[in-house]
Coordinates of all heavy atoms in Angstrom, one line a residue:
M175 N 43.6 -0.2 51.9 CA 44.5 0.5 52.9 C 44.1 0.2 54.3 O 44.9 0.2 55.2 CB 44.5 2.0 52.6 CG 45.4 2.3 51.4 SD 47.1 1.7 51.7 CE 48.0 3.0 50.9
K176 N 42.8 0.0 54.5 CA 42.3 -0.2 55.9 C 42.9 -1.5 56.5 O 43.3 -1.5 57.6 CB 40.8 -0.4 55.9 CG 40.0 0.8 56.4 CD 38.6 0.4 56.5 CE 37.8 1.6 57.0 NZ 36.4 1.3 57.1
N177 N 43.0 -2.5 55.6 CA 43.6 -3.8 56.1 C 45.1 -3.6 56.4 O 45.6 -4.2 57.4 CB 43.4 -4.9 55.0 CG 42.0 -5.4 55.0 OD1 41.2 -5.2 55.9 ND2 41.6 -6.0 53.9
M178 N 45.8 -2.8 55.6 CA 47.2 -2.6 55.9 C 47.4 -1.9 57.2 O 48.3 -2.2 58.0 CB 47.8 -1.8 54.7 CG 49.3 -1.6 54.9 SD 50.2 -3.1 55.0 CE 50.7 -3.2 53.3
S179 N 46.6 -0.9 57.5 CA 46.7 -0.1 58.7 C 46.4 -1.1 59.9 O 47.0 -1.0 60.9 CB 45.7 1.0 58.7 OG 45.7 1.7 59.9
K180 N 45.4 -1.9 59.7 CA 45.0 -2.8 60.8 C 46.1 -3.8 61.0 O 46.4 -4.1 62.2 CB 43.7 -3.6 60.4 CG 43.2 -4.5 61.5 CD 41.9 -5.2 61.0 CE 41.4 -6.1 62.1 NZ 40.2 -6.8 61.7
M181 N 46.7 -4.3 60.0 CA 47.9 -5.3 60.1 C 49.0 -4.6 60.8 O 49.7 -5.2 61.7 CB 48.3 -5.8 58.7 CG 47.3 -6.8 58.2 SD 47.8 -7.4 56.5 CE 49.4 -7.9 56.7
L182 N 49.3 -3.3 60.5 CA 50.4 -2.6 61.1 C 50.1 -2.4 62.6 O 51.0 -2.6 63.5 CB 50.6 -1.3 60.5 CG 51.3 -1.3 59.1 CD1 51.3 0.1 58.5 CD2 52.7 -1.9 59.2
K183 N 48.9 -2.1 63.0 CA 48.5 -2.0 64.4 C 48.7 -3.3 65.1 O 49.2 -3.3 66.3 CB 47.1 -1.4 64.5 CG 47.0 0.0 64.2 CD 45.6 0.5 64.4 CE 45.5 2.0 64.0 NZ 44.2 2.6 64.2
Q184 N 48.3 -4.4 64.5 CA 48.4 -5.7 65.1 C 49.9 -6.1 65.3 O 50.3 -6.6 66.3 CB 47.7 -6.8 64.2 CG 46.2 -6.8 64.3 CD 45.6 -7.8 63.4 OE1 46.0 -8.0 62.3 NE2 44.5 -8.4 64.0
A185 N 50.7 -5.7 64.3 CA 52.1 -6.0 64.4 C 52.8 -5.2 65.5 O 53.6 -5.8 66.3 CB 52.8 -5.7 63.1
Q186 N 52.4 -4.0 65.7 CA 52.9 -3.2 66.8 C 52.5 -3.7 68.1 O 53.3 -3.7 69.1 CB 52.5 -1.7 66.6 CG 53.1 -1.0 65.5 CD 52.5 0.4 65.2 OE1 51.4 0.7 65.6 NE2 53.3 1.3 64.6
K187 N 51.3 -4.1 68.2 CA 50.7 -4.7 69.4 C 51.5 -6.0 69.8 O 51.9 -6.2 70.9 CB 49.3 -5.0 69.3 CG 48.6 -5.5 70.6 CD 47.2 -5.8 70.4 CE 46.6 -6.4 71.7 NZ 45.1 -6.7 71.5
M188 N 51.7 -6.8 68.8 CA 52.5 -8.0 69.0 C 53.9 -7.8 69.4 O 54.4 -8.4 70.3 CB 52.4 -8.9 67.7 CG 53.1 -10.2 67.8 SD 52.2 -11.2 69.0 CE 52.9 -12.8 68.7
Q189 N 54.5 -6.8 68.8 CA 55.9 -6.4 69.2 C 55.9 -6.0 70.6 O 56.9 -6.4 71.3 CB 56.4 -5.3 68.2 CG 57.9 -4.9 68.5 CD 58.4 -3.9 67.6 OE1 57.6 -3.1 67.0 NE2 59.7 -3.7 67.5
Q190 N 55.0 -5.2 71.1 CA 54.9 -4.8 72.5 C 54.7 -6.0 73.4 O 55.4 -6.1 74.4 CB 53.8 -3.8 72.7 CG 54.1 -2.4 72.0 CD 52.8 -1.5 72.1 OE1 51.7 -1.9 72.4 NE2 53.1 -0.2 71.8
Q191 N 53.9 -6.9 73.0 CA 53.7 -8.1 73.8 C 55.0 -9.0 73.9 O 55.3 -9.5 75.0 CB 52.6 -9.0 73.2 CG 51.2 -8.4 73.4 CD 50.1 -9.2 72.7 OE1 50.4 -9.8 71.6 NE2 48.9 -9.1 73.2
V192 N 55.7 -9.1 72.8 CA 56.9 -9.9 72.8 C 58.0 -9.2 73.7 O 58.6 -9.8 74.5 CB 57.5 -10.0 71.3 CG1 58.9 -10.5 71.3 CG2 56.6 -11.0 70.5
M193 N 58.1 -7.9 73.6 CA 59.1 -7.2 74.4 C 58.7 -7.3 75.9 O 59.6 -7.5 76.7 CB 59.1 -5.7 74.0 CG 59.8 -5.5 72.6 SD 59.7 -3.8 72.0 CE 60.7 -2.9 73.3
K194 N 57.4 -7.2 76.2 CA 57.0 -7.3 77.6 C 57.3 -8.7 78.1 O 57.8 -8.9 79.2 CB 55.5 -7.0 77.7 CG 55.0 -7.1 79.2 CD 53.5 -6.8 79.2 CE 53.1 -6.9 80.7 NZ 51.6 -6.8 80.8
A195 N 57.0 -9.7 77.3 CA 57.3 -11.1 77.7 C 58.8 -11.4 77.9 O 59.2 -12.0 78.8 CB 56.7 -12.1 76.6
Q196 N 59.6 -10.8 77.0 CA 61.0 -11.0 77.1 C 61.5 -10.4 78.4 O 62.3 -10.9 79.2 CB 61.8 -10.3 76.0 CG 61.7 -11.1 74.7 CD 62.4 -10.4 73.5 OE1 62.3 -9.1 73.5 NE2 62.9 -11.1 72.6
E197 N 61.0 -9.2 78.8 CA 61.4 -8.5 80.0 C 61.0 -9.3 81.2 O 61.8 -9.5 82.2 CB 60.8 -7.1 80.1 CG 61.4 -6.1 79.1 CD 60.7 -4.8 79.0 OE1 59.7 -4.6 79.8 OE2 61.0 -4.0 78.1
E198 N 59.8 -9.9 81.2 CA 59.4 -10.6 82.3 C 60.2 -11.9 82.5 O 60.6 -12.3 83.6 CB 57.9 -11.0 82.1 CG 57.0 -9.8 82.3 CD 55.5 -10.1 82.0 OE1 55.2 -11.3 81.8 OE2 54.7 -9.2 82.0
L199 N 60.5 -12.6 81.4 CA 61.3 -13.8 81.4 C 62.7 -13.5 81.9 O 63.3 -14.3 82.7 CB 61.3 -14.5 80.1 CG 60.1 -15.2 79.6 CD1 60.2 -15.7 78.2 CD2 59.8 -16.4 80.5
Q200 N 63.3 -12.4 81.5 CA 64.6 -12.1 81.9 C 64.7 -11.8 83.4 O 65.7 -12.0 84.1 CB 65.1 -10.9 81.1 CG 65.4 -11.2 79.7 CD 65.9 -10.1 78.9 OE1 65.8 -8.9 79.3 NE2 66.3 -10.3 77.6
R201 N 63.6 -11.3 84.0 CA 63.6 -11.0 85.5 C 63.4 -12.2 86.3 O 63.8 -12.2 87.5 CB 62.5 -10.0 85.8 CG 62.8 -8.6 85.4 CD 61.9 -7.6 86.1 NE 60.5 -7.8 85.6 CZ 60.0 -7.2 84.6 NH1 60.6 -6.3 83.9 NH2 58.7 -7.4 84.2
K202 N 62.9 -13.3 85.7 CA 62.6 -14.5 86.5 C 63.9 -15.3 86.8 O 64.8 -15.2 86.1 CB 61.6 -15.4 85.7 CG 60.2 -14.9 85.6 CD 59.3 -15.8 84.9 CE 58.9 -17.0 85.8 NZ 57.9 -17.9 85.1
E203 N 63.8 -16.0 87.9 CA 64.9 -16.9 88.3 C 64.4 -18.3 88.3 O 63.2 -18.6 88.7 CB 65.5 -16.5 89.6 CG 66.2 -15.1 89.5 CD 67.0 -14.8 90.8 OE1 66.8 -15.4 91.9 OE2 67.8 -13.9 90.7
Y204 N 65.3 -19.2 88.0 CA 65.0 -20.7 87.9 C 66.0 -21.4 88.7 O 67.2 -21.2 88.6 CB 65.0 -21.1 86.5 CG 64.0 -20.3 85.6 CD1 64.4 -19.1 85.0 CD2 62.8 -20.8 85.3 CE1 63.6 -18.4 84.2 CE2 61.9 -20.1 84.5 CZ 62.3 -18.9 84.0 OH 61.4 -18.1 83.2
E205 N 65.5 -22.4 89.5 CA 66.4 -23.2 90.4 C 66.5 -24.6 89.8 O 65.5 -25.2 89.6 CB 65.9 -23.2 91.8 CG 66.8 -24.0 92.7 CD 66.3 -24.0 94.2 OE1 65.4 -24.8 94.5 OE2 66.9 -23.2 95.0
G206 N 67.7 -25.0 89.6 CA 68.0 -26.4 89.2 C 68.7 -27.1 90.4 O 69.5 -26.5 91.1
V207 N 68.3 -28.4 90.6 CA 68.9 -29.1 91.7 C 69.4 -30.5 91.2 O 68.9 -31.0 90.2 CB 67.9 -29.4 92.9 CG1 67.5 -28.0 93.5 CG2 66.6 -30.1 92.4
A208 N 70.3 -31.0 92.0 CA 70.9 -32.3 91.6 C 71.3 -33.0 92.9 O 71.6 -32.3 93.9 CB 72.0 -32.2 90.6
G209 N 71.5 -34.3 92.9 CA 72.0 -35.0 94.1 C 71.0 -34.9 95.2 O 71.4 -34.8 96.4
G210 N 69.7 -34.9 94.9 CA 68.7 -34.8 96.0 C 68.7 -33.5 96.7 O 68.4 -33.5 97.9
G211 N 69.1 -32.5 96.0 CA 69.1 -31.1 96.6 C 70.5 -30.8 97.2 O 70.6 -29.7 97.8
M212 N 71.5 -31.6 97.0 CA 72.8 -31.3 97.5 C 73.5 -30.2 96.8 O 74.3 -29.5 97.3 CB 73.7 -32.6 97.5 CG 73.1 -33.8 98.3 SD 73.1 -33.4 100.1 CE 74.6 -34.1 100.5
V213 N 73.1 -30.0 95.5 CA 73.7 -28.9 94.7 C 72.5 -28.2 94.1 O 71.6 -28.8 93.5 CB 74.6 -29.5 93.6 CG1 75.0 -28.3 92.7 CG2 75.8 -30.2 94.1
K214 N 72.5 -26.9 94.3 CA 71.4 -26.0 93.7 C 72.1 -24.9 92.9 O 73.0 -24.3 93.4 CB 70.6 -25.4 94.8 CG 69.8 -26.5 95.6 CD 69.0 -25.8 96.7 CE 68.3 -26.9 97.5 NZ 67.5 -26.3 98.6
V215 N 71.6 -24.6 91.8 CA 72.0 -23.5 91.0 C 70.8 -22.6 90.6 O 69.7 -23.2 90.5 CB 72.8 -23.8 89.7 CG1 74.0 -24.7 90.0 CG2 71.9 -24.6 88.7
V216 N 71.0 -21.4 90.5 CA 70.0 -20.4 90.1 C 70.5 -19.7 88.9 O 71.6 -19.2 88.9 CB 69.6 -19.4 91.3 CG1 68.6 -18.4 90.8 CG2 69.1 -20.2 92.5
V217 N 69.6 -19.7 87.9 CA 69.9 -18.9 86.6 C 68.7 -18.0 86.4 O 67.6 -18.2 86.9 CB 70.1 -19.8 85.4 CG1 71.3 -20.7 85.6 CG2 68.9 -20.6 85.1
N218 N 69.0 -16.9 85.7 CA 67.9 -16.0 85.3 C 67.4 -16.2 83.9 O 68.1 -17.0 83.2 CB 68.2 -14.6 85.7 CG 69.4 -14.1 84.8 OD1 69.7 -14.5 83.8 ND2 70.1 -13.0 85.4
G219 N 66.4 -15.5 83.5 CA 65.9 -15.7 82.1 C 66.8 -15.1 81.1 O 66.6 -15.3 79.9
K220 N 67.9 -14.5 81.5 CA 69.0 -14.1 80.5 C 70.0 -15.2 80.3 O 71.0 -14.9 79.7 CB 69.7 -12.8 81.0 CG 68.8 -11.6 81.1 CD 69.6 -10.4 81.7 CE 68.7 -9.3 82.1 NZ 69.6 -8.2 82.6
N221 N 69.8 -16.3 80.9 CA 70.7 -17.5 80.9 C 72.0 -17.2 81.6 O 73.0 -17.8 81.4 CB 71.0 -17.9 79.5 CG 69.8 -18.4 78.7 OD1 68.9 -18.9 79.3 ND2 69.8 -18.2 77.4
E222 N 71.9 -16.3 82.6 CA 73.1 -16.0 83.5 C 73.0 -16.8 84.8 O 71.9 -16.9 85.4 CB 73.1 -14.5 83.8 CG 73.2 -13.6 82.6 CD 73.0 -12.1 83.0 OE1 72.3 -11.8 84.0 OE2 73.5 -11.3 82.3
L223 N 74.1 -17.4 85.1 CA 74.2 -18.1 86.4 C 74.2 -17.1 87.5 O 75.1 -16.2 87.6 CB 75.5 -18.9 86.4 CG 75.7 -19.8 87.6 CD1 74.7 -20.8 87.8 CD2 77.1 -20.5 87.5
V224 N 73.2 -17.2 88.4 CA 73.1 -16.2 89.5 C 73.8 -16.7 90.8 O 74.4 -15.9 91.5 CB 71.6 -15.9 89.8 CG1 71.4 -15.0 91.0 CG2 70.9 -15.3 88.5
S225 N 73.6 -18.0 91.1 CA 74.2 -18.5 92.3 C 74.3 -20.0 92.3 O 73.6 -20.7 91.5 CB 73.4 -18.1 93.6 OG 72.1 -18.8 93.6
I226 N 75.2 -20.5 93.1 CA 75.4 -22.0 93.3 C 75.5 -22.2 94.8 O 76.2 -21.5 95.5 CB 76.7 -22.5 92.7 CG1 76.8 -22.2 91.2 CG2 76.9 -23.9 93.0 CD1 78.1 -22.6 90.5
K227 N 74.7 -23.2 95.3 CA 74.8 -23.6 96.7 C 75.2 -25.1 96.7 O 74.6 -25.9 96.0 CB 73.4 -23.5 97.3 CG 72.9 -22.1 97.3 CD 73.6 -21.2 98.3 CE 72.9 -19.8 98.4 NZ 73.8 -18.8 98.7
I228 N 76.2 -25.4 97.4 CA 76.7 -26.8 97.5 C 76.7 -27.2 99.0 O 77.3 -26.6 99.8 CB 78.1 -26.9 96.9 CG1 78.1 -26.5 95.4 CG2 78.7 -28.3 97.1 CD1 79.5 -26.4 94.8
N229 N 76.0 -28.3 99.3 CA 76.0 -28.8 100.6 C 77.4 -29.4 100.9 O 78.0 -30.1 100.1 CB 74.9 -29.9 100.7 CG 74.7 -30.4 102.1 OD1 75.6 -30.8 102.8 ND2 73.4 -30.3 102.5
K230 N 77.9 -29.1 102.1 CA 79.2 -29.6 102.6 C 79.4 -31.1 102.4 O 80.5 -31.6 102.1 CB 79.4 -29.2 104.0 CG 79.6 -27.7 104.3 CD 79.8 -27.5 105.7 CE 79.6 -26.0 106.1 NZ 79.7 -25.8 107.5
E231 N 78.3 -31.8 102.6 CA 78.4 -33.3 102.6 C 78.8 -33.8 101.2 O 79.3 -35.0 101.1 CB 77.1 -33.9 103.0 CG 76.7 -33.6 104.5 CD 75.2 -33.9 104.8 OE1 74.7 -34.8 104.1 OE2 74.7 -33.4 105.8
V232 N 78.5 -33.1 100.2 CA 78.8 -33.6 98.8 C 80.3 -33.2 98.4 O 80.7 -33.7 97.4 CB 77.8 -33.1 97.8 CG1 78.0 -31.6 97.4 CG2 77.7 -33.9 96.6
V233 N 80.9 -32.4 99.2 CA 82.3 -32.0 98.9 C 83.3 -33.1 99.3 O 83.5 -33.3 100.5 CB 82.7 -30.7 99.5 CG1 84.1 -30.3 99.1 CG2 81.7 -29.6 99.0
D234 N 83.8 -33.9 98.4 CA 84.8 -34.9 98.7 C 86.0 -34.7 97.8 O 86.0 -34.9 96.6 CB 84.1 -36.3 98.4 CG 85.0 -37.5 98.7 OD1 86.2 -37.2 99.1 OD2 84.6 -38.6 98.5
P235 N 87.1 -34.3 98.5 CA 88.3 -34.1 97.7 C 88.8 -35.3 96.9 O 89.5 -35.2 95.9 CB 89.4 -33.7 98.8 CG 88.6 -33.4 100.0 CD 87.3 -34.1 99.9
E236 N 88.3 -36.5 97.3 CA 88.7 -37.7 96.6 C 87.8 -38.0 95.4 O 88.1 -38.8 94.6 CB 88.7 -38.9 97.5 CG 89.6 -38.8 98.7 CD 91.0 -38.7 98.3 OE1 91.5 -39.4 97.4 OE2 91.8 -37.9 98.9
D237 N 86.7 -37.2 95.3 CA 85.7 -37.4 94.2 C 85.2 -36.1 93.6 O 84.0 -35.8 93.6 CB 84.6 -38.3 94.6 CG 83.8 -38.8 93.5 OD1 84.1 -38.6 92.3 OD2 82.8 -39.5 93.7
V238 N 86.1 -35.3 93.1 CA 85.8 -34.0 92.6 C 84.9 -34.1 91.4 O 84.0 -33.3 91.1 CB 87.0 -33.2 92.3 CG1 86.7 -31.9 91.5 CG2 87.8 -32.9 93.5
E239 N 85.1 -35.2 90.6 CA 84.3 -35.4 89.4 C 82.8 -35.5 89.7 O 82.0 -35.0 88.9 CB 84.8 -36.7 88.7 CG 84.2 -36.9 87.3 CD 84.8 -38.0 86.6 OE1 86.1 -38.1 86.4 OE2 84.0 -38.9 86.2
M240 N 82.5 -36.2 90.8 CA 81.1 -36.3 91.1 C 80.5 -34.9 91.4 O 79.4 -34.6 90.9 CB 80.9 -37.2 92.4 CG 79.4 -37.3 92.8 SD 79.1 -38.0 94.3 CE 79.8 -36.9 95.5
L241 N 81.2 -34.1 92.1 CA 80.7 -32.7 92.4 C 80.5 -31.9 91.1 O 79.5 -31.2 90.9 CB 81.6 -32.0 93.3 CG 81.3 -30.5 93.7 CD1 79.9 -30.4 94.3 CD2 82.3 -30.0 94.6
E242 N 81.5 -32.0 90.2 CA 81.4 -31.4 88.9 C 80.2 -31.8 88.1 O 79.4 -31.0 87.5 CB 82.7 -31.6 88.1 CG 83.9 -31.0 88.6 CD 85.2 -31.5 88.0 OE1 85.2 -32.5 87.3 OE2 86.2 -30.8 88.1
D243 N 79.9 -33.1 88.1 CA 78.8 -33.7 87.4 C 77.5 -33.2 88.0 O 76.5 -32.9 87.3 CB 78.8 -35.2 87.5 CG 79.9 -35.8 86.6 OD1 80.4 -35.1 85.7 OD2 80.2 -37.0 86.8
L244 N 77.4 -33.1 89.4 CA 76.2 -32.6 90.0 C 75.9 -31.1 89.7 O 74.8 -30.7 89.5 CB 76.3 -32.7 91.6 CG 76.2 -34.2 92.1 CD1 76.6 -34.2 93.6 CD2 74.9 -34.8 91.8
I245 N 77.0 -30.3 89.6 CA 76.9 -28.9 89.2 C 76.3 -28.8 87.8 O 75.4 -28.0 87.5 CB 78.2 -28.1 89.4 CG1 78.6 -28.0 90.8 CG2 78.1 -26.7 88.7 CD1 80.0 -27.5 91.1
V246 N 76.9 -29.6 86.9 CA 76.4 -29.6 85.5 C 74.9 -30.0 85.4 O 74.1 -29.4 84.7 CB 77.3 -30.4 84.6 CG1 76.7 -30.6 83.2 CG2 78.7 -29.8 84.5
A247 N 74.6 -31.1 86.2 CA 73.2 -31.6 86.2 C 72.2 -30.5 86.7 O 71.2 -30.3 86.1 CB 73.1 -32.9 87.0
A248 N 72.6 -29.8 87.8 CA 71.7 -28.8 88.3 C 71.6 -27.6 87.4 O 70.5 -27.1 87.2 CB 72.3 -28.3 89.7
H249 N 72.7 -27.3 86.7 CA 72.6 -26.2 85.8 C 71.7 -26.6 84.6 O 70.9 -25.8 84.1 CB 74.0 -25.8 85.3 CG 74.1 -24.7 84.4 ND1 74.1 -24.8 83.0 CD2 74.0 -23.3 84.6 CE1 74.1 -23.6 82.4 NE2 74.1 -22.7 83.3
T250 N 71.9 -27.8 84.1 CA 71.1 -28.3 83.0 C 69.6 -28.2 83.3 O 68.7 -27.8 82.5 CB 71.5 -29.7 82.6 OG1 72.9 -29.6 82.1 CG2 70.7 -30.2 81.5
S251 N 69.3 -28.7 84.6 CA 67.9 -28.7 85.0 C 67.3 -27.2 85.0 O 66.2 -27.0 84.6 CB 67.9 -29.2 86.5 OG 66.6 -29.1 87.0
A252 N 68.1 -26.3 85.5 CA 67.6 -24.9 85.5 C 67.4 -24.4 84.1 O 66.4 -23.7 83.8 CB 68.6 -24.0 86.3
M253 N 68.4 -24.7 83.2 CA 68.3 -24.2 81.9 C 67.1 -24.8 81.1 O 66.5 -24.1 80.3 CB 69.6 -24.4 81.1 CG 70.8 -23.6 81.7 SD 70.5 -21.8 81.7 CE 70.4 -21.5 80.0
E254 N 66.8 -26.0 81.4 CA 65.6 -26.6 80.8 C 64.3 -25.9 81.2 O 63.4 -25.8 80.5 CB 65.5 -28.1 81.2 CG 66.5 -29.0 80.5 CD 66.6 -30.4 80.9 OE1 66.0 -30.7 82.0 OE2 67.3 -31.2 80.3
Q255 N 64.3 -25.4 82.5 CA 63.1 -24.7 83.0 C 63.0 -23.4 82.2 O 61.9 -22.9 81.8 CB 63.2 -24.4 84.5 CG 63.1 -25.7 85.3 CD 63.4 -25.3 86.8 OE1 62.8 -24.4 87.3 NE2 64.2 -26.1 87.4
V256 N 64.2 -22.7 82.0 CA 64.2 -21.4 81.3 C 63.6 -21.7 79.9 O 62.8 -20.9 79.4 CB 65.6 -20.8 81.2 CG1 65.6 -19.6 80.3 CG2 66.1 -20.4 82.6
K257 N 64.1 -22.7 79.2 CA 63.7 -23.0 77.8 C 62.2 -23.3 77.8 O 61.5 -22.9 76.9 CB 64.5 -24.2 77.3 CG 64.2 -24.6 75.9 CD 65.0 -25.8 75.4 CE 64.6 -26.2 74.0 NZ 65.3 -27.4 73.6
G258 N 61.8 -24.2 78.7 CA 60.4 -24.5 78.7 C 59.5 -23.3 78.9 O 58.4 -23.2 78.3
D259 N 59.8 -22.5 79.9 CA 59.0 -21.3 80.1 C 59.0 -20.4 78.9 O 58.0 -19.8 78.5 CB 59.6 -20.5 81.3 CG 58.6 -19.7 82.1 OD1 57.4 -19.9 81.9 OD2 59.0 -19.0 83.0
S260 N 60.2 -20.2 78.3 CA 60.3 -19.3 77.1 C 59.4 -19.9 76.0 O 58.7 -19.1 75.3 CB 61.8 -19.2 76.7 OG 61.9 -18.4 75.6
E261 N 59.5 -21.2 75.7 CA 58.7 -21.8 74.7 C 57.3 -21.7 74.9 O 56.5 -21.4 74.0 CB 59.1 -23.3 74.5 CG 60.5 -23.5 73.8 CD 60.9 -24.9 73.8 OE1 60.3 -25.8 74.4 OE2 62.0 -25.2 73.2
S262 N 56.9 -21.8 76.2 CA 55.5 -21.7 76.5 C 54.9 -20.3 76.3 O 53.9 -20.1 75.7 CB 55.3 -22.0 78.0 OG 54.0 -21.8 78.4
V263 N 55.7 -19.3 76.7 CA 55.3 -17.9 76.6 C 55.2 -17.5 75.1 O 54.2 -16.9 74.6 CB 56.2 -16.9 77.4 CG1 56.0 -15.5 77.0 CG2 56.0 -17.1 78.9
F264 N 56.3 -17.8 74.4 CA 56.4 -17.3 73.0 C 55.5 -18.2 72.1 O 55.0 -17.7 71.1 CB 57.8 -17.2 72.5 CG 58.6 -16.1 73.2 CD1 59.6 -16.4 74.1 CD2 58.2 -14.8 72.9 CE1 60.2 -15.3 74.7 CE2 58.9 -13.7 73.6 CZ 59.9 -14.0 74.5
G265 N 55.3 -19.4 72.5 CA 54.3 -20.3 71.7 C 52.9 -19.7 71.8 O 52.2 -19.7 70.8
S266 N 52.5 -19.3 73.0 CA 51.2 -18.7 73.1 C 51.1 -17.4 72.3 O 50.0 -17.1 71.8 CB 50.8 -18.5 74.6 OG 51.6 -17.6 75.2
L267 N 52.1 -16.6 72.3 CA 52.1 -15.4 71.5 C 52.0 -15.7 70.0 O 51.3 -15.0 69.3 CB 53.3 -14.5 71.8 CG 53.4 -13.8 73.2 CD1 54.7 -13.1 73.3 CD2 52.2 -12.8 73.3
Q268 N 52.7 -16.7 69.6 CA 52.8 -17.0 68.2 C 51.4 -17.6 67.8 O 50.9 -17.2 66.7 CB 53.8 -18.1 68.0 CG 53.9 -18.6 66.5 CD 54.9 -19.7 66.4 OE1 56.0 -19.7 67.0 NE2 54.6 -20.7 65.5
S269 N 50.8 -18.4 68.6 CA 49.5 -18.9 68.3 C 48.4 -17.8 68.2 O 47.5 -17.9 67.4 CB 49.0 -20.0 69.3 OG 48.8 -19.4 70.5
G270 N 48.6 -16.7 68.9 CA 47.7 -15.6 68.8 C 47.8 -14.9 67.5 O 46.8 -14.2 67.0
L271 N 48.9 -15.0 66.8 CA 49.0 -14.4 65.5 C 48.3 -15.2 64.4 O 47.8 -14.6 63.4 CB 50.5 -14.4 65.1 CG 51.3 -13.2 65.4 CD1 52.7 -13.4 64.9 CD2 50.7 -11.9 64.9
G272 N 48.2 -16.5 64.6 CA 47.6 -17.3 63.6 C 48.4 -17.5 62.3 O 47.9 -17.9 61.3
L273 N 49.7 -17.3 62.5 CA 50.7 -17.5 61.4 C 51.5 -18.7 61.6 O 52.2 -18.8 62.6 CB 51.6 -16.3 61.2 CG 50.9 -14.9 60.9 CD1 51.9 -13.8 61.0 CD2 50.2 -15.0 59.6
P274 N 51.5 -19.7 60.7 CA 52.3 -20.9 60.9 C 53.8 -20.6 60.7 O 54.1 -19.7 59.9 CB 51.8 -21.8 59.8 CG 51.2 -20.9 58.7 CD 50.7 -19.7 59.5
G275 N 54.6 -21.3 61.4 CA 56.1 -21.2 61.3 C 56.7 -19.9 61.7 O 57.8 -19.6 61.4
M276 N 56.0 -19.1 62.5 CA 56.6 -17.8 63.0 C 56.9 -17.9 64.4 O 56.3 -18.6 65.2 CB 55.7 -16.6 62.7 CG 55.6 -16.4 61.2 SD 55.9 -14.8 60.6 CE 56.5 -13.8 61.8

């Protein structure tokens, strides 16, 4: 029974660590850029788009497709940062458990 109690305490501690990590990640903001900084997007850890900044020089009514591509590229860049940060944080928590595949 001692081992079961110890395991339950460890599980509760781990759950608290996961919740804290989730909250911290959700508060963070990540900036993605494209076109040499001509387009910038900011997303948060909840995967919500927070803002878009577009330099006037990249706005060409004759080439809207390029602007669309730059926005997508900047958004993708920001989302990759969110994913990387999340994998890093939760990977370190998982390794602390010593359980494979969790």
Side-chain angles (χ1 to χ4, degrees):
M175 282 303 216
K176 257 186 181 179
N177 285 341
M178 182 62 95
S179 177
K180 184 177 178 181
M181 285 177 53
L182 286 173
K183 285 181 182 181
Q184 285 179 319
Q186 288 173 337
K187 182 179 177 183
M188 182 63 166
Q189 183 179 18
Q190 290 172 346
Q191 290 174 329
V192 167
M193 290 174 62
K194 182 180 177 185
Q196 284 175 329
E197 290 171 5
E198 288 174 8
L199 286 172
Q200 289 176 353
R201 282 194 298 269
K202 288 180 78 173
E203 292 188 345
Y204 303 84
E205 182 180 79
V207 296
M212 300 296 265
V213 175
K214 297 179 183 179
V215 300
V216 175
V217 298
N218 63 24
K220 296 179 192 177
N221 298 329
E222 298 170 334
L223 182 62
V224 175
S225 68
I226 299 176
K227 302 286 185 209
I228 301 172
N229 190 304
K230 292 178 193 178
E231 297 168 20
V232 78
V233 179
D234 179 358
E236 302 298 319
D237 194 3
V238 174
E239 189 175 304
M240 180 190 65
L241 178 56
E242 293 169 342
D243 290 344
L244 289 172
I245 292 169
V246 170
H249 183 262
T250 299
S251 171
M253 294 304 294
E254 287 172 353
Q255 292 175 48
V256 173
K257 182 180 177 187
D259 207 10
S260 184
E261 288 175 351
S262 174
V263 168
F264 290 111
S266 66
L267 287 175
Q268 177 181 326
S269 67
L271 270 182
L273 299 174
M276 294 232 5

